[in-house]
Structures are given as structure tokens and as C-alpha cells.
Amino acid sequence: SDRLLAFSATRLLTDPARAMLADVRVGSEPVGVALAGNGRLVVVADSNRFGATAAHAAITILSARAALAGRRAIVVTVRAGLFPREVAVGRGGVAFVTNFASDQLEAINLAGLRWRAEPLR
């Protein structure tokens, strides 16, 4: 669905019909996800692993707070190498992304992001 979904674990057990907390459209075929900034940011690896036409491999970074409030959540979308797959966030706010098909390790300085109301593309 090219979407990042957030669920309440408690509601999945007690009230499944109301368990979904957020639904954000991200890039093509997202596979890797990591939290950053003490849970304020979500980093998503949009793999485009099936080569969708008019799509590209990217890293989508979103505001968790905005997503949970139902507001526009995407902070920035950054082009990536081929098939970004795994995401890890290190000390100092750097996201490390493995680009599986291009044999690269990509680093993104999350502290250097410029926050805007509209997504940067």
C-alpha cells in the first residue's frame, strides 16, 4: 500500500476496530523503519524494489507527532541508492541506511534537517 501504519498494541487486543492510530502515505515499497530523536521522527526506507514506474528509491522522514495527530507528517524525502533496506539511527542523530542493490551505506544527518510544513521533494 506504500503506507506507514501505526497501531495501538493494547487496542489490537481489546478493540481491534479502533487499533489503527496513524496512516501515512510514504514512498514506493517501504521496508525499513526506525525511530529517531527520542521517538519524534520516523525514518522509512522506500525500497522501490519492484521498480515501479515514476517511483524512485528514497528515505522518507516524518514527524511521529504530526502523523498521530492526523496532520501532514512528511518532513523530507531524500533520494537513496538502489533498494534502501535497513535503517539504524546512531548517536548524534545520524540515520544509517543500507542500499542493498547498490552496495552502499548511506548516512543522513537528521539534526541538519530543515523542518517545513510542506514535504521537500
Side-chain angles (χ1 to χ4, degrees), residues 75-93:
V75 174
V76 66
T77 299
V78 179
R79 288 220 183 222
L82 302 175
F83 192 170
R85 189 172 181 174
E86 302 293 331
V87 180
V89 179
R91 292 184 184 165

Side-chain angles (χ1 to χ4, degrees), residues 38-109:
N38 293 322
R40 291 178 300 138
L41 296 175
V42 183
V43 183
V44 181
D46 304 320
S47 71
N48 193 32
R49 67 181 178 245
F50 300 119
T53 306
H56 57 271
I59 308 304
T60 300
I61 300 166
L62 26 112
S63 163
R65 179 177 288 167
L68 292 170
R71 297 190 322 262
R72 184 179 308 254
I74 295 176
V75 174
V76 66
T77 299
V78 179
R79 288 220 183 222
L82 302 175
F83 192 170
R85 189 172 181 174
E86 302 293 331
V87 180
V89 179
R91 292 184 184 165
V94 176
F96 297 97
V97 181
T98 60
N99 293 309
F100 177 75
S102 55
D103 293 326
Q104 297 172 315
L105 177 64
E106 188 168 352
I108 301 168
N109 179 3

